[in-house]
Structure formats: C-alpha cells, structure tokens
Amino acid sequence: GKNADAINPRFLMLTPHALDSRVQNMETREQAAAAGKVHYLGTPCRHGHGGERYVLSNACVSCDKQNAARQAAKRKARMKELRAAAREG
C-alpha cells in the first residue's frame, strides 16, 4: 500500500497553495536539522520529484523510495532463482 505520509510530486507542482500542513511547515535544511526533523522541502531533484528531501543525506525521498523498491524486486527475483536452483540440484 501507499505510505500515508508520501507526497505526490505532481501535487506539489500543480497545487502549491494547497499543500498539507506538514509541507507548509517545513523549514530549510538547517532549520529542520536544528528542530530534529527527518525531512525538509528543498529543491526538486534532477528527476523532477517535488523537493521533499532527507535532512541527513539531502537525498530525494521519492528517489530513495523508488531505489529501495527496485532493489527489493532484484532481491526477490534472485531469491526465486536460488530457490529454483536448490530444488533442481
């Protein structure tokens, strides 16, 4: 299922005046770090995602989630191959 806290990048680009309170209250990276926050609203990434970034690494949250899903799919496929090989061998 979708993460309830995820922010749709299209929503950020199309309706900036209607952002939810979580995004409206985001500060600069330094302010967010000082406040102990995990995310802040920075510049959009090179892939065009809305700008929600991690304070610690400055990485794009959307890109990070996509990369994690891609790696999980690779692991799942590799485990499937290994299980099939173990059954045969």
Side-chain angles (χ1 to χ4, degrees), residues 20-78:
D20 67 14
S21 62
R22 189 171 67 93
V23 176
Q24 287 176 347
N25 295 329
M26 287 188 174
E27 312 87 345
T28 65
R29 184 178 183 193
E30 293 78 19
Q31 291 169 330
K37 304 266 176 102
V38 176
H39 303 104
Y40 77 101
L41 192 60
T43 58
C45 73
R46 63 181 170 168
H47 300 288
H49 298 130
E52 186 177 15
R53 294 179 171 272
Y54 291 108
V55 171
L56 187 60
S57 66
N58 202 35
C60 171
V61 172
S62 296
C63 286
D64 189 55
K65 288 180 181 180
Q66 288 176 355
N67 289 336
R70 189 170 36 253
Q71 291 299 320
K74 282 183 183 180
R75 278 192 308 276
K76 184 176 180 179
R78 180 66 178 147

Side-chain angles (χ1 to χ4, degrees), residues 76-89:
K76 184 176 180 179
R78 180 66 178 147
M79 290 304 294
K80 188 174 181 179
E81 290 173 14
L82 292 172
R83 286 186 189 109
R87 277 187 237 120
E88 292 173 4

Side-chain angles (χ1 to χ4, degrees), residues 1-15:
K2 286 195 170 190
N3 182 348
D5 289 336
I7 298 173
N8 184 335
R10 290 187 184 140
F11 180 74
L12 288 173
M13 289 184 274
L14 296 176
T15 58

